[in-house]
Amino acid sequence: SMNGKDDLEKGISQEDIFLQKPRFRISIYGLFVPLIAAPVPIALILCIYACYHYDHQFSEYGEVLPSISEITGHHPERYIWRYSVGVYSGVKILFDVLVWYFLDDEYKRNKHSFVSYFHNINLLRLIFVECENLSLYLLVFVGSNENFPIHRNGFASFLFFAHIGFIFHLYAWYLAKKPFSAESRKYFIRRLTLATLHAICLVLVLYLYYRWEDYHEQYMYSKFAFFEWILVGLNILYHIQFIFELPKDITLHLYKKENTDSKIK
């Protein structure tokens, strides 16, 4: 129970809590996967529809797909996007802290890994990931037509902190899990693949934006926007891997006592 100390002070033992029949039970997958994986794709669909419905021109060159900068420059698209990022980032901040505790616990239980600087690596991972979250807020809540330099710097810092966070996370995972089991190796390779694809996509985004800004080739901005959305999708996929790395039997239980108070195990 998360409130075990209060329970003991009230004369309620842990055994009494665990013997009660849960009033409500939900899998951690059912609770958190929709909150992390769903908001951004749903917002993308709604924003593209809104762009066409309100006849918002994506650019003066007649592009067919809006970028994040274009979305944050119009309404109601900016409000849809900001709401979805608020939901996603709020849950992600909780998960970033859980990953910190999870890796720290895995390292302590690993009898084969003794590295004095592990906790520093894990802490740096958390710091860079939270900086990524702050950059995402800056990117989304300061529109390109409101203050373009700040918006641009928010996007650049988001990409920078994301990639540095990936590196520290992969290294912390390696230290905490070595020697790898078959399952741990699978998860590590999956994360490494997503991080590599993210880096490749970043290079394409920068190249396509350069081609559009310098040569104004038709549909070049739409290509840039497409890979920008792929970049965002890969970022989300990387972070939600933590959910699948947890034990499959984790559930959230809601109990009800005789005095109608609720407890969460």
Side-chain angles (χ1 to χ4, degrees):
S1 171
M2 294 175 61
N3 301 306
K5 184 177 180 180
D6 295 337
D7 296 339
L8 294 176
E9 291 176 354
K10 296 177 182 179
I12 304 171
S13 67
Q14 294 285 359
E15 290 78 12
D16 292 335
I17 296 175
F18 293 136
L19 288 175
Q20 295 180 67
K21 184 177 180 180
R23 285 285 303 273
F24 181 73
R25 179 186 290 113
I26 184 171
S27 166
I28 193 171
Y29 298 95
L31 179 64
F32 288 113
V33 170
L35 293 177
I36 295 181
V40 172
I42 292 176
L44 171 61
I45 295 172
L46 293 176
C47 287
I48 292 177
Y49 171 77
C51 283
Y52 282 104
H53 180 74
Y54 292 100
D55 196 26
H56 290 157
Q57 189 72 13
F58 302 148
S59 78
E60 57 182 314
Y61 301 101
E63 301 294 340
V64 296
L65 185 66
S67 67
I68 294 176
S69 298
E70 292 288 345
I71 284 176
T72 57
H74 300 288
H75 62 82
E77 296 95 315
R78 73 173 62 172
Y79 305 120
I80 297 172
W81 184 239
R82 288 173 180 178
Y83 177 79
S84 69
V85 169
V87 173
Y88 164 76
S89 297
V91 180
K92 183 173 173 293
I93 290 173
L94 171 62
F95 260 74
D96 294 335
V97 176
L98 289 176
V99 171
W100 180 43
Y101 280 109
F102 174 76
L103 290 175
D104 189 69
D105 183 66
E106 288 291 310
Y107 175 76
K108 290 177 180 177
R109 292 191 295 155
N110 190 346
K111 305 300 182 182
H112 302 282
S113 182
F114 300 97
V115 181
S116 59
Y117 54 83
F118 170 81
H119 299 291
N120 295 330
I121 295 294
N122 199 20
L123 180 60
L124 284 172
R125 184 211 64 83
L126 179 63
I127 291 174
F128 279 110
V129 172
E130 295 308 329
C131 288
E132 175 192 342
N133 289 331
L134 293 176
S135 299
L136 180 60
Y137 280 123
L138 184 65
L139 163 66
V140 171
F141 287 93
V142 178
S144 58
N145 62 341
E146 296 171 336
N147 193 318
F148 182 73
I150 293 180
H151 177 83
R152 179 184 57 196
N153 291 334
F155 182 66
S157 60
F158 168 76
L159 295 176
F160 171 77
F161 288 126
H163 280 278
I164 298 300
F166 289 168
I167 293 172
F168 277 103
H169 183 273
L170 289 169
Y171 189 40
W173 175 272
Y174 171 78
L175 295 176
K177 289 287 190 176
K178 69 174 187 179
F180 285 164
S181 64
E183 186 175 23
S184 296
R185 185 181 301 276
K186 178 184 69 174
Y187 290 139
F188 183 82
I189 292 176
R190 183 185 300 172
R191 279 190 178 274
L192 183 60
T193 301
L194 289 171
T196 303
L197 290 175
H198 194 276
I200 294 173
C201 198
L202 172 61
V203 173
L204 287 172
V205 164
L206 296 176
Y207 171 73
L208 292 170
Y209 185 79
Y210 163 77
R211 288 287 299 271
W212 173 80
E213 191 174 49
D214 282 15
Y215 300 103
H216 301 296
E217 297 172 277
Q218 189 175 22
Y219 301 124
M220 192 58 64
Y221 192 84
S222 292
K223 296 175 183 178
F224 157 77
F226 174 77
F227 283 103
E228 183 184 43
W229 286 110
I230 295 296
L231 194 71
V232 171
L234 290 171
N235 186 281
I236 295 174
L237 284 174
Y238 183 92
H239 288 296
I240 67 173
Q241 294 305 307
F242 172 67
I243 303 175
F244 305 105
E245 294 163 4
L246 291 172
K248 301 298 185 292
D249 57 349
I250 291 183
T251 56
L252 189 68
H253 293 174
L254 182 67
Y255 292 91
K256 185 176 181 181
K257 300 191 307 181
E258 292 182 359
N259 62 356
T260 69
D261 291 334
S262 296
K263 298 295 176 185
I264 299 179
K265 184 183 80 172

